[in-house]
Amino acid sequence: MRNSLSISSDQAKMFFPIPRELDPIRMPQHLAIIMDGNGRWALGRGLPRIMGHKAGVEALKTTLRLCSDWGIGALTVYAFSTENWSRPGEEVNFLMSLFENVLQRELKSLKLEQVRINFIGDLSPLPNRLKELIQEATDSTSRNQGINFNVCTNYGGRRELVSAAQKLAEKCVQGDLKPDEIDENLFASELFTAGNVDPDLIIRTSGERRISNFLLWQLAYAEIHITDTLWPDFDATALTKALIDYQSRRRRFGGLESNNAEHYEI
Ligand code: IPE
Ligand code: IPE
Ligand code: MG
């Protein structure tokens, strides 16, 4: 396997095999990533922070391609949080234009590669042109058969939970629902992620050890992998490490492992 894999347009149709260190049967069905460290990556090179965001797009393209080739069914990434509006206006504006440009430029290859793209979050305050592109990209890839690619944009876990609660409360007020009919499945069906399985693995780059308001409900039983790698440096090697770490975990979901249960006498 090569180091520092980056995918350029001339490699567009190359297929990346699953590294030998990984068990193809035990890949996560759904991978979530907090793509953090763009600013520090740029500052470390004496560049303005926005150059880190540009470089981060390349890491995202690589990661999406690898996930798709390695049989991961869904990739959900945190692109812009409800709290990120508090950054300087220049950086926010740059990010909005970057999302627009990247979406416009990459839509053709997303279609070709059968990616189904979806945007998760409160999209209403986004610039109109971006909203139009999001609509176009979502509609034109909705019948694709490949990886589900969810981009969390103006996303906040707390806001998502409040909005689900509001929708259920409204149904109760209308007399269409009784409070005691609300269960976990019904609640989950009102979240932006309705219809997706919960992430099996969450990766956070740049060494930060927090969730930062990401997928608060959905990460209930996700395995957590933190890496010091800054997002623009995230590559096939870093993804492989995260997946090896994931495959070494024993997921118990509050129960007992089957071999422990044998020795447990009531
Ligand atoms: C993550 O990188 C990208 C966004 C939040 C949009 P940061 O911009 O947070 O980079 P650092 O954490 O300041 O290095
Ligand atoms: C989380 O990163 C949001 C995204 C990656 C889009 P932040 O850099 O905004 O999170 P904090 O401020 O370090 O918690
Ligand atoms: Mg950050």
Side-chain angles (χ1 to χ4, degrees):
M1 199 187 67
R2 74 200 77 190
N3 278 333
S4 304
L5 177 83
S6 80
I7 295 170
S8 58
S9 50
D10 55 329
Q11 292 174 307
K13 292 196 175 59
M14 198 183 275
F15 182 82
F16 296 96
I18 299 179
R20 269 196 304 269
E21 306 95 299
L22 291 172
D23 178 353
I25 317 254
R26 293 174 55 231
M27 287 296 194
Q29 278 187 64
H30 186 174
L31 168 63
I33 307 185
I34 301 177
M35 310 182 289
D36 199 12
N38 292 352
R40 277 164 281 170
W41 181 91
L43 295 178
R45 285 168 173 70
L47 298 168
R49 288 177 54 84
I50 56 170
M51 296 308 285
H53 298 313
K54 258 184 115 167
V57 172
E58 297 311 308
L60 179 55
K61 282 167 62 183
T62 302
T63 304
L64 175 62
R65 168 61 71 79
L66 293 168
C67 288
S68 166
D69 285 0
W70 293 357
I72 293 171
L75 172 66
T76 298
V77 296
Y78 207 1
F80 192 86
S81 75
T82 45
E83 290 74 28
N84 288 147
W85 296 106
S86 67
R87 295 189 178 198
E90 258 177 42
E91 181 168 340
V92 170
N93 291 342
F94 178 86
L95 281 166
M96 295 300 148
S97 319
L98 184 69
F99 297 155
E100 260 177 55
N101 295 338
V102 171
L103 203 47
Q104 191 149 30
R105 197 175 69 214
E106 298 299 327
L107 184 54
K108 203 169 148 202
S109 39
L110 292 174
K111 286 184 193 163
L112 269 175
E113 312 213 345
Q114 287 296 310
V115 174
R116 203 167 336 149
I117 194 168
N118 202 10
F119 288 79
I120 289 180
D122 174 10
L123 307 180
S124 56
L126 301 180
N128 284 336
R129 176 72 190 129
L130 179 55
K131 280 196 276 197
E132 283 163 20
L133 281 167
I134 285 176
Q135 191 66 52
E136 186 191 341
T138 310
D139 292 346
S140 63
T141 64
S142 65
R143 295 213 174 91
N144 284 355
Q145 299 294 314
I147 189 168
N148 281 328
F149 178 38
N150 303 314
V151 185
C152 297
T153 315
N154 191 27
Y155 174 85
R158 286 184 171 178
R159 189 173 297 182
E160 180 183 39
L161 294 173
V162 168
S163 128
Q166 283 172 339
K167 285 185 231 160
L168 291 169
E170 188 57 37
K171 286 185 188 170
C172 290
V173 169
Q174 297 300 326
D176 297 332
L177 183 66
K178 295 199 184 82
D180 62 5
E181 289 170 343
I182 300 173
D183 61 11
E184 291 184 13
N185 285 334
L186 190 67
F187 198 92
S189 73
E190 296 293 352
L191 299 173
F192 296 133
T193 51
N196 286 274
V197 293
D198 286 342
D200 303 292
L201 171 64
I202 164 87
I203 299 175
R204 182 160 189 159
T205 58
S206 86
E208 303 298 349
R209 293 162 187 269
R210 53 179 171 263
I211 292 293
S212 298
N213 204 11
F214 191 43
L215 301 176
L216 297 180
W217 172 283
Q218 299 86 341
L219 294 178
Y221 268 102
E223 296 296 326
I224 302 171
H225 176 85
I226 309 268
T227 169
D228 287 335
T229 303
L230 302 173
W231 176 249
D233 291 328
F234 195 85
D235 60 6
T237 307
L239 180 61
T240 303
K241 263 195 199 159
L243 293 171
I244 290 173
D245 187 19
Y246 170 74
Q247 293 190 343
S248 76
R249 308 283 179 88
R250 293 176 176 196
R251 304 188 74 192
R252 288 195 290 265
F253 300 97
L256 296 177
E257 286 168 52
S258 51
N259 53 351
N260 273 351
E262 279 167 27
H263 301 295
Y264 188 73
E265 288 171 21
I266 298 172

